[in-house]
Amino acid sequence: MCGIAGFCDYVEELTGESYLWGTLAKRMAARLKTCGSDSGLTVSAHTAFAQTHFASEKPVQPVCCVRDHVRYTIVCDGELYNVAQLRHELRGLGARFETQGDAEVMLQAY
């Protein structure tokens, strides 16, 4: 089980004050202590996401990748049951993986 916290602001640019917005997202995630103590964080131009999970679970999210000069980010709570098959198919299409987590497979599939 994990917890997801964050926000979007499509009016203001968040990266100029990413420390401030990242701290806010981390504080939001801290309220989810029952969902785990390890956490991940990402701040982009218009979003800040934090995710908590138990240390025994899969790699930390959010997961990011850049393709064709566009940055994609995913944060999710779920599990893929055919992750090995999808990973194999995506590698055949040229995908490269940096983690063993399901979220990265979902992001590459997108």
Side-chain angles (χ1 to χ4, degrees):
M1 181 167 158
C2 67
I4 299 169
F7 53 90
C8 298
D9 184 339
Y10 289 103
V11 176
E12 298 293 325
E13 171 89 22
L14 302 181
T15 51
E17 296 175 323
S18 61
Y19 178 78
L20 170 71
W21 301 118
T23 300
L24 179 59
K26 280 185 181 180
R27 290 184 68 193
M28 293 168 68
R31 301 288 185 199
L32 305 171
K33 287 181 183 176
T34 58
C35 298
S37 58
D38 282 4
S39 64
L41 171 73
T42 186
V43 177
S44 66
H46 298 285
T47 62
F49 288 119
Q51 188 257 3
T52 63
H53 73 284
F54 293 107
S56 61
E57 292 182 355
K58 294 186 178 182
V60 175
Q61 296 181 47
V63 177
C64 303
C65 77
V66 176
R67 186 172 293 138
D68 298 325
H69 306 292
V70 178
R71 181 178 179 207
Y72 298 92
T73 302
I74 188 170
V75 60
C76 59
D77 182 12
E79 182 177 353
L80 294 175
Y81 294 102
N82 62 339
V83 71
Q85 176 188 354
L86 290 172
R87 188 180 295 270
H88 177 74
E89 289 180 30
L90 291 167
R91 278 195 178 118
L93 295 171
R96 292 191 174 108
F97 297 96
E98 297 179 21
T99 73
Q100 295 300 311
D102 294 5
E104 186 179 19
V105 174
M106 284 187 255
L107 181 59
Q108 291 290 345
Y110 175 78

